Amino acid sequence: MNLRIKEFSYYLKNQRNYSDYTIHNYELDIDKFFKFIAKEEILFEEVDNIVIRNFLTEEISNGISKRSCNRRLSALTTFYDYFTKKGEIEVNPFEFVSNIKVEKRLPQTFYKNEIEKLIKENSKRTDDLALRDQVILETLFYTGVRVSELVNIHIEDIDFVNRIIRIIGKGNK
């Protein structure tokens, strides 16, 4: 991995407190861009709007979704902003690049009767994982936590006496 990417990852982890998941995805996105500019024989400091447009055009023509392209733009904007503030480059070429317009999708949801049926049907199971799955389903549906938040619950996050679970959400909030 590129030394600049490693330095940037360290900054995200230790200064900005980004999650490991976000950092990993940023690393992949930035690395992909670095491979593109290497193929085009363009230096890190020479990136401009035309290079960015060509990169995005190639990504979309390769079937990368507009949402993924926007995430890459976000990662690259933050990446170049970091090195602009460090004085390694004068201007962040991503500063005035707009996100690609994406169609809004409403999240798919369950109806109340579907949730009740799912929980009821799961409660009829007798295998070793039935109780665990029941707790997972009930916690998800009755609290509204994200799956990633549920997966990251540790035993010390549960106060059994007061019947409270401490949830760490996005951005460690």
Side-chain angles (χ1 to χ4, degrees):
M1 183 186 303
N2 181 297
L3 287 175
R4 281 192 174 107
I5 297 174
K6 284 184 180 180
E7 177 184 336
F8 180 64
S9 297
Y10 182 84
Y11 162 75
L12 292 179
K13 178 74 174 172
N14 297 298
Q15 299 292 318
R16 300 286 303 271
N17 204 24
Y18 278 31
S19 73
D20 292 338
Y21 179 78
T22 300
I23 293 168
H24 176 71
N25 285 319
Y26 272 33
E27 288 170 346
L28 294 175
D29 293 339
I30 296 164
D31 187 58
K32 187 159 193 172
F33 181 72
F34 268 52
K35 288 176 181 169
F36 172 80
I37 62 175
K39 180 184 75 175
E40 299 291 318
E41 299 181 353
I42 298 166
L43 297 175
F44 165 77
E45 303 84 6
E46 298 174 341
V47 171
D48 60 15
N49 286 344
I50 294 168
V51 174
I52 297 167
R53 189 175 327 128
N54 291 341
F55 172 69
L56 293 173
T57 300
E58 184 173 295
E59 290 290 278
I60 289 172
S61 68
N62 287 333
I64 303 301
S65 74
K66 292 176 182 178
R67 287 184 195 283
S68 294
C69 287
N70 283 339
R71 189 194 70 218
R72 290 193 173 123
L73 281 174
S74 176
L76 289 161
T77 300
T78 307
F79 179 77
Y80 270 84
D81 193 44
Y82 172 75
F83 287 100
T84 302
K85 288 177 181 170
K86 278 192 70 186
E88 290 193 29
I89 53 174
E90 289 183 30
V91 178
N92 181 347
F94 289 88
E95 187 173 14
F96 298 107
V97 176
S98 299
N99 278 342
I100 302 167
K101 292 196 190 291
V102 293
E103 52 289 334
K104 289 199 175 205
R105 294 182 309 190
L106 295 174
Q108 290 186 330
T109 59
F110 287 101
Y111 290 103
K112 183 179 178 185
N113 64 329
E114 292 173 319
I115 294 168
E116 290 168 349
K117 183 177 179 184
L118 181 62
I119 290 172
K120 182 179 177 183
E121 290 300 315
N122 188 71
S123 69
K124 295 176 183 177
R125 290 175 41 202
T126 58
D127 59 275
D128 292 342
L129 300 178
L131 181 58
R132 180 206 65 178
D133 293 349
Q134 192 71 13
V135 170
I136 289 171
L137 289 171
E138 290 185 19
T139 303
L140 285 171
F141 292 125
Y142 295 133
T143 66
V145 298
R146 294 178 175 92
V147 172
S148 61
E149 294 168 343
L150 179 69
V151 168
N152 289 311
I153 293 174
H154 300 285
I155 194 74
E156 57 269 12
D157 296 329
I158 303 172
D159 179 348
F160 291 100
V161 174
N162 294 309
R163 301 179 66 183
I164 296 173
I165 301 174
R166 183 171 173 258
I167 304 292
I168 309 295
K170 289 177 82 172
N172 288 326
K173 295 179 181 162

